[in-house]
Amino acid sequence: MKAPLIMHIDMNAFFASVEQRSNPELRGKPIAVIGSAKRTVVTTASYEARRFGVKTGMNKWEARKACPSLIFVIGDNQKYIDTSVRILAILKDFSPRIEAYSIDEAFVDISGTGSLFGSPETLAASIKDRIRKDLGLTCSIGIAPNKLLAKLASDMKKPDGLVIITEESKAALLRDLPVGELWGIGPKLTMHLGAMGIRTCGQLGAFPESILRERFGIIGERLKSMGQGMDASPIVPMGEEEEAKSVGHSTTLPADVSDKAVIRRYILKLSEMVGARARRHNLKGRKVSLTLRYPDFYTFSTQRTLPSYTNDTHSIYMTALNILEAQRLRSAVRLIGVSIFDIAKGSLQMPLFEEDRKKEKLLEVMDSLNMHFGEFTLTWGTIFEEYESEAGVISPAWRPSGVKMVNVK
DNA sequence: TCTGGGGTCCTAGGACCC
DNA sequence: TCTGGGGTCCTAGGACCC
């Protein structure tokens, strides 16, 4: 049996690089890709901007303060989607087993490709070449026996890096590596582990599993093996992904809102976005949740279980509205979110009654019209123009196809 | 004139049933 | 008057990821 070999490809400053590629005036300059909404954050900073300390997640003012000459570019999701699809097509030439992990990252199973494409170094060089020639973009590539280490490797040299970790080299690498560098160990776990005297992967890998398990539950079982650089998680090739488990949309309002009528209209818009996307993919949910965020960032969501599975905008809206009406708002609201979950494939849940069938027909017509004439041409109730300009930032949970191919205008 | 949006997985506690 | 345990469903919330 051939030894598993996994490649992780991480596009360098993806959105910013695509913008610099398509607009020569931006090349070599500090730029930050942002959303078009009023309260937006930096999605990606170019390497020139990063040198000034501009980071993902900064708001515009923080970013401007870090780098006064920073150029803000409003992101163009369709451009990134098209580019991502082309990258995946290039990867397809090298292996059929590709996991589109996010819009700018992919795992490729390159086990046993040696006879076709040469050594891992040669293969990585060929892929980098194709991406550079065809798209004018650079990427960092990590190659290792599993996904955990491949991801770590691609992160070790940026931009345009290539790092290979082998079974033989991993122990020396992990010995002094901070645990927080590992994929899946975030700030909180780093803190808790630190309090236990565990700071490096070497220490984590040598720690008694029983204690980790006791302290961290099911995650604890994995932690020790992660510290040892072991990971059995499989590549999930494109087209073999599991069905989505939830479908949702949320929006940060241009300004905090306390008027319930306005909040209701946003809930309607979000319900329609959720319903339309779920219907497009024939998914129905049995639970609806409404999320509210207050100006102090206190965020909570309340869910309600429905008697049957639905993807009907009206049902989603009414349920979310019921949740809202049961709340006493603490203050003005900053963010509103609506999602459905506990998902079933729609065809498994045929409507029982004629009324429901008629409603479904109506929704189908509405959806097809909206598809031709743009979102929200037709919808339940009134959606005012004032909301049309709200634009989102593309989700990294994005997939080239299926329900996760969200493209918020 | 602060702090986006879309996800997954896990845990804990309470209701309810046998 | 005091004593269970197991199982499922449900909700809320947190950690993590890009």
Side-chain angles (χ1 to χ4, degrees):
Chain A
M1 199 175 132
K2 67 197 176 198
L5 208 51
I6 306 296
M7 174 185 281
H8 181 253
I9 291 155
D10 193 341
M11 298 305 298
N12 300 136
F14 185 53
F15 295 176
S17 301
V18 169
E19 294 302 336
Q20 287 178 319
R21 175 70 194 167
S22 64
N23 180 356
E25 291 194 359
L26 299 175
R27 293 182 198 167
K29 293 185 181 158
I31 76 165
V33 176
I34 55 170
S36 66
K38 183 156 176 289
R39 296 156 126 173
T40 184
V41 296
V42 173
T43 310
T44 318
S46 68
Y47 280 95
E48 297 84 356
R50 291 181 195 194
R51 278 196 276 279
F52 288 89
V54 179
K55 289 191 171 68
T56 295
M58 282 183 166
N59 63 49
K60 283 191 270 186
W61 295 271
E62 286 172 324
R64 170 76 73 206
K65 206 171 120 193
C67 175
S69 60
L70 186 63
I71 301 168
F72 289 112
V73 179
I74 292 175
D76 176 351
N77 296 335
Q78 194 56 52
K79 206 157 32 175
Y80 313 142
I81 290 172
D82 295 342
T83 310
S84 187
V85 167
R86 294 182 63 186
I87 292 165
L88 292 169
I90 290 173
L91 298 180
K92 272 273 181 206
D93 289 344
F94 294 90
S95 166
R97 294 181 53 79
I98 297 167
E99 176 174 340
Y101 181 67
S102 75
I103 194 160
D104 69 338
E105 288 183 31
F107 290 98
V108 185
D109 185 349
I110 56 166
S111 314
T113 60
S115 56
L116 276 174
F117 301 113
S119 68
E121 287 90 341
T122 309
L123 172 59
S126 306
I127 289 175
K128 278 166 169 289
D129 253 24
R130 278 285 304 279
I131 293 178
R132 190 181 307 109
K133 283 195 186 117
D134 293 5
L135 303 170
L137 299 171
T138 65
C139 58
S140 288
I141 292 185
I143 297 176
N146 58 51
K147 287 168 78 174
L148 178 76
L149 292 178
K151 186 103 163 71
L152 178 67
S154 69
D155 212 35
M156 288 172 60
K157 193 162 173 252
K158 289 182 172 178
D160 205 15
L162 168 62
V163 173
I164 298 177
I165 300 175
T166 63
E167 288 292 350
E168 293 71 38
S169 70
K170 71 177 185 185
L173 171 77
L174 291 169
R175 199 188 58 190
D176 297 319
L177 188 78
V179 291
E181 301 285 313
L182 288 180
W183 183 34
I185 301 186
K188 296 284 177 176
L189 268 174
T190 301
M191 203 181 71
H192 292 309
L193 288 168
M196 296 166 76
I198 303 170
R199 288 185 178 76
T200 66
C201 293
Q203 292 169 331
L204 181 58
F207 209 80
E209 191 193 307
S210 55
I211 301 177
L212 292 170
R213 191 187 144 61
E214 202 176 317
R215 176 69 181 78
F216 299 108
I218 225 154
I219 299 280
E221 284 180 28
R222 272 206 73 214
L223 284 172
K224 185 186 174 83
S225 62
M226 285 169 72
Q228 296 170 339
M230 297 195 295
D231 171 31
S233 65
I235 293 253
V236 183
M238 280 189 282
E240 294 177 29
E241 295 98 346
E242 278 186 34
E243 208 62 77
K245 298 197 164 55
S246 66
V247 176
H249 286 282
S250 64
T251 187
T252 293
L253 311 177
D256 300 340
V257 167
S258 39
D259 182 349
K260 275 210 177 176
V262 175
I263 294 174
R264 280 188 216 106
R265 288 207 295 276
Y266 274 105
I267 292 177
L268 173 59
K269 174 179 174 174
L270 291 164
S271 301
E272 166 58 13
M273 289 167 74
V274 170
R277 184 149 62 98
R279 291 192 296 273
R280 206 175 301 142
H281 299 284
N282 196 27
L283 300 176
K284 294 184 172 188
R286 205 167 60 95
K287 296 178 180 177
V288 173
S289 81
L290 176 72
T291 299
L292 297 177
R293 172 175 294 160
Y294 290 104
D296 62 1
F297 256 67
Y298 172 73
T299 308
F300 77 100
S301 68
T302 307
Q303 53 182 262
R304 196 154 286 187
T305 304
L306 300 169
S308 62
Y309 291 84
T310 190
N311 56 19
D312 157 357
T313 295
H314 190 67
S315 309
I316 298 169
Y317 174 58
M318 291 311 290
T319 309
L321 214 54
N322 280 335
I323 297 172
L324 175 75
E325 301 305 341
Q327 312 273 342
R328 240 195 55 220
L329 300 182
R330 303 159 87 223
S331 68
V333 168
R334 175 191 175 88
L335 168 143
I336 303 172
V338 173
S339 64
I340 60 170
F341 55 108
D342 192 356
I343 298 276
K345 201 70 183 168
S347 52
L348 301 175
Q349 302 290 330
M350 286 301 284
L352 283 175
F353 304 108
E354 188 56 29
E355 267 313 294
D356 289 348
R357 289 203 194 92
K358 276 186 190 157
K359 202 146 91 178
E360 289 217 331
K361 272 283 165 228
L362 185 61
L363 282 168
E364 276 172 29
V365 172
M366 218 167 86
D367 284 344
S368 71
L369 285 170
N370 283 341
M371 214 170 284
H372 282 99
F373 300 111
E375 249 177 317
F376 309 123
T377 304
L378 281 177
T379 186
W380 302 92
T382 314
I383 294 176
F384 294 168
E385 276 182 17
E386 61 194 282
Y387 306 122
E388 293 293 332
S389 61
E390 290 308 302
V393 174
I394 194 158
S395 162
W398 175 91
R399 291 293 183 277
S401 60
V403 70
K404 289 182 189 168
M405 204 206 84
V406 182
N407 183 13
V408 183
K409 281 179 298 186

